[in-house]
Amino acid sequence: MASTAILAPASAASVVALPSAIASSASSSRATIFKVSPSAAHLSTFEGLRADGFPSSSLNEVWQTSAQTWSTPRHSRLTVRAAVASEAPTATKQKIRIKLRSYWVNLIEQACQQILEAARNSDAKTMGPVPLPTKKRVYCVLRSPHVNKDSREHFEIRTHRRLIDLENPNAQTIDALMQLDLPAGVDVEVKLS
Amino acid sequence: MGQKINPLGFRLGVTQNHHSYWFAQPKNYSKLLQEDQKMRNCIENYVYKNIRNSSNYGGIARIEIKRKTDLIQVEIHTGFPALLVENRKRGIEQLKTDVQSILTSGDRKLRMTLTEVTKPYGEPNILAEYIALQLESRVAFRRTMKKAIELAKKTNIKGIKIQIAGRLNGAEIARVEWAREGRVPLQTLRAKIDYCYYPAQTIYGVLGIKIWIFQDEK
C-alpha cells in the first residue's frame, strides 16, 4: 500500500509511477479514507500531470482537495490513470552507486573530482557528489593515569561521506573507474543495481 | 598554571598532518592501529640496532603509513638516507622483509620508500637523537643544549625550546632544565610547531628530552 513516501519530495520517476498505483487502489477501496493516498491522485488531477510532484500544499488543503477527488465521477479518474500510465519509464536503468568515506575532507573531495572526471570523460550521466551527514564518534577518556575522575578529555573521529550515482554505465566508464588511483585514506563502496 | 597539551595533537586539523592515512571500519580499526604501531616499532628498532653507533645516529624524522585496499605504502622521512642504504640496497630490503613478517593477514603488498629531509636539524626528532647521544656519552648537558640550539639555528627556524629532565650530570636529585631561543608560541594554533619527546638512557637513569621547534606562522 502506498506509504508515507508520497508526501516527501520524490523523483520524477517515482511520482509518475505512484499515481497509477494509487488511482487503481483508490478506486478499489472507496469506503476507507487513507490519509496519504489521495494526495497523489490530487496531484495528477489538479496540477496537470506535472512531473515534479511536490505537494507544497499543507495537509489541510490535501484533505479538502482529496474530498473533491473522492467525489469526482469515476471516468475522470480512469482517464487520469490512462494518461499517467503512458508516462511510465520505458527501460530499466542500470545504476552504479559509489559511496565514499574518509576522515579527511580534502582527500574525499579529491577522490570525488577524480571519479566525476573519469565518468564524464566516458559520457555517463552522473548525479553529482551528494554530501551525506558527517558521522562523529566521540571518545571521552580520563586525563590522569590514576584517580582524578572529574578531569577528562574528549576525542572525536569524524567520518565524511559522499555519494555519487552513475546512470547507464558503459564498458568505457567501468574501465576508467577501475584504473583510477584514489588517494589512500578514502574508502570506496560500489553497488550495482 | 596547568599542564600543557601536546602541540601536535592540538594542531591536528590546522597546521599538523597525520602520520597515517587510512580508513577502516570500527571493527577493523584497532587491529590496523596495532599493526601500524608494530611497524613503527620494528623500523625504529632496526635503525637503533643496526645503524646507530657512537658516531652516527639513525635520523628518522617521521614514518608515514598509507593504506589502500591491497597496498601499504611506508614512507620513511630520514635526515641521512645514506645511513640506511649503506649496504647498497640490501639494507632496505632487510628492513622491508622484517616489516612484512610483522604484517598479519598477508597478501598485501608493501612498498617502502625513503624520503630525504632537507635540513635534518630542523626536525625535532633528529635533534633529540643527537642530544640523547651526547648525554649518553656523558657530555655536560648545558653544553649539549647550546650546541643543539646552534645546529638548529642554522636552518631557518623562528624559535626553539629544549627541555631536559632527570638526573642531570648524574646528580642525586633530579631537576628540569630548559633553554629557549627565539619565540615558541604554544597557544597560537596557526603557528607550525613541531614537538618531540625522546628518552635518553644513561647510567644514572632516564633523561627525558622535549624539543619544541617553531617553524613559521601562517
Side-chain angles (χ1 to χ4, degrees):
Chain A
M1 198 48 214
S3 56
T4 54
I6 300 181
L7 274 184
S11 64
S14 58
V15 167
V16 166
L18 276 172
S20 54
I22 302 316
S24 57
S25 61
S27 54
S28 59
S29 55
R30 232 183 125 169
T32 49
I33 297 179
F34 288 86
K35 202 174 193 183
V36 184
S37 55
S39 64
H42 138 73
L43 290 172
S44 47
T45 48
F46 295 100
E47 296 187 15
L49 286 173
R50 256 186 297 152
D52 57 343
F54 267 68
S56 50
S57 52
S58 65
L59 201 53
N60 283 332
E61 288 177 53
V62 167
W63 269 114
Q64 289 161 10
T65 46
S66 65
Q68 293 172 15
T69 326
W70 283 114
S71 55
T72 50
R74 227 173 181 216
H75 65 269
S76 66
R77 267 203 300 263
L78 289 172
T79 51
V80 163
R81 198 205 320 175
V84 157
S86 61
E87 281 191 21
T90 46
T92 51
K93 295 188 188 161
Q94 222 198 0
K95 259 205 293 193
I96 293 187
R97 177 154 279 187
I98 303 180
K99 197 165 178 190
L100 296 167
R101 271 186 290 228
S102 173
Y103 302 134
W104 292 271
V105 194
N106 54 342
L107 287 186
I108 210 173
E109 291 291 330
Q110 213 182 324
C112 280
Q113 291 307 314
Q114 282 182 344
I115 291 179
L116 287 176
E117 256 185 59
R120 280 180 193 150
N121 285 346
S122 40
D123 294 329
K125 187 171 171 209
T126 61
M127 321 291 202
V130 177
L132 300 172
T134 305
K135 293 217 162 175
K136 260 200 299 195
R137 270 201 343 261
V138 180
Y139 297 95
C140 181
V141 297
L142 297 178
R143 273 189 201 240
S144 161
H146 185 54
V147 290
N148 302 117
K149 186 64 174 275
D150 293 333
S151 151
R152 312 207 201 182
E153 194 170 9
H154 278 211
F155 294 105
E156 68 180 16
I157 297 185
R158 290 187 184 176
T159 305
H160 303 270
R161 302 187 293 163
R162 300 276 187 276
L163 193 58
I164 298 181
D165 268 356
L166 301 175
E167 245 178 50
N168 287 340
N170 41 3
Q172 204 190 354
T173 327
I174 297 183
D175 272 343
L177 287 177
M178 287 293 146
Q179 285 171 2
L180 261 189
D181 190 29
L182 292 174
V186 180
D187 180 51
V188 186
E189 231 179 70
V190 180
K191 265 195 211 167
L192 282 166
S193 61
Chain B
M1 284 290 127
Q3 293 306 319
K4 294 176 199 23
I5 193 176
N6 188 322
L8 296 177
F10 193 37
R11 290 165 175 77
L12 257 186
V14 195
T15 43
Q16 186 70 235
N17 292 329
H18 290 88
H19 287 216
S20 299
Y21 282 96
W22 42 265
F23 181 88
Q25 301 283 0
K27 53 183 176 174
N28 299 334
Y29 197 93
S30 55
K31 195 166 67 108
L32 287 184
L33 194 61
Q34 282 177 347
E35 247 187 48
D36 261 20
Q37 193 60 33
K38 282 189 202 158
M39 279 204 279
R40 291 208 162 95
N41 286 345
C42 174
I43 293 177
E44 276 168 29
N45 284 343
Y46 177 86
V47 168
Y48 191 84
K49 270 190 277 191
N50 300 359
I51 293 171
R52 196 178 189 223
N53 38 11
S54 54
S55 57
N56 294 328
Y57 35 96
I60 296 183
R62 70 197 273 177
I63 301 173
E64 279 192 14
I65 298 181
K66 296 190 180 167
R67 286 173 197 262
K68 302 193 185 181
T69 33
D70 55 351
L71 175 67
I72 302 181
Q73 281 173 305
V74 180
E75 258 185 57
I76 304 180
H77 295 245
T78 168
F80 314 104
L83 285 179
L84 282 171
V85 201
E86 64 181 7
N87 294 343
R88 193 82 59 83
K89 272 264 180 169
R90 195 172 65 82
I92 204 171
E93 290 298 323
Q94 174 75 24
L95 182 58
K96 200 166 158 183
T97 47
D98 278 348
V99 173
Q100 186 107 40
S101 63
I102 281 185
L103 293 177
T104 56
S105 67
D107 75 270
R108 257 178 308 183
K109 286 186 291 183
L110 177 71
R111 196 193 297 171
M112 212 178 276
T113 49
L114 281 182
T115 316
E116 181 175 359
V117 173
T118 54
K119 303 178 187 164
Y121 292 114
E123 295 283 330
N125 297 58
I126 299 177
L127 208 57
E129 276 186 32
Y130 166 77
I131 295 180
L133 213 57
Q134 299 278 310
L135 291 175
E136 283 167 23
S137 23
R138 298 182 225 169
V139 181
F141 73 92
R142 217 177 287 276
R143 200 150 52 106
T144 320
M145 279 205 286
K146 285 199 193 136
K147 223 169 157 188
I149 292 182
E150 257 175 68
L151 275 174
K153 263 178 29 169
K154 284 194 203 143
T155 71
N156 56 341
I157 55 168
K158 291 209 185 138
I160 179 172
K161 179 162 87 168
I162 301 180
Q163 174 183 301
I164 305 184
R167 294 182 63 177
L168 302 170
N169 289 340
E172 262 193 33
I173 300 182
R175 55 181 207 276
V176 178
E177 291 273 346
W178 55 270
R180 178 172 57 200
E181 189 82 29
R183 62 186 199 107
V184 186
L186 288 175
Q187 309 276 32
T188 312
L189 279 179
R190 66 181 183 193
K192 193 166 185 322
I193 294 189
D194 281 328
Y195 165 81
C196 158
Y197 167 77
Y198 195 84
Q201 316 264 3
T202 61
I203 51 168
Y204 295 111
V206 174
L207 297 181
I209 305 170
K210 287 188 185 175
I211 301 190
W212 293 260
I213 296 189
F214 174 36
Q215 307 271 352
D216 58 21
E217 194 165 355
K218 291 242 178 81

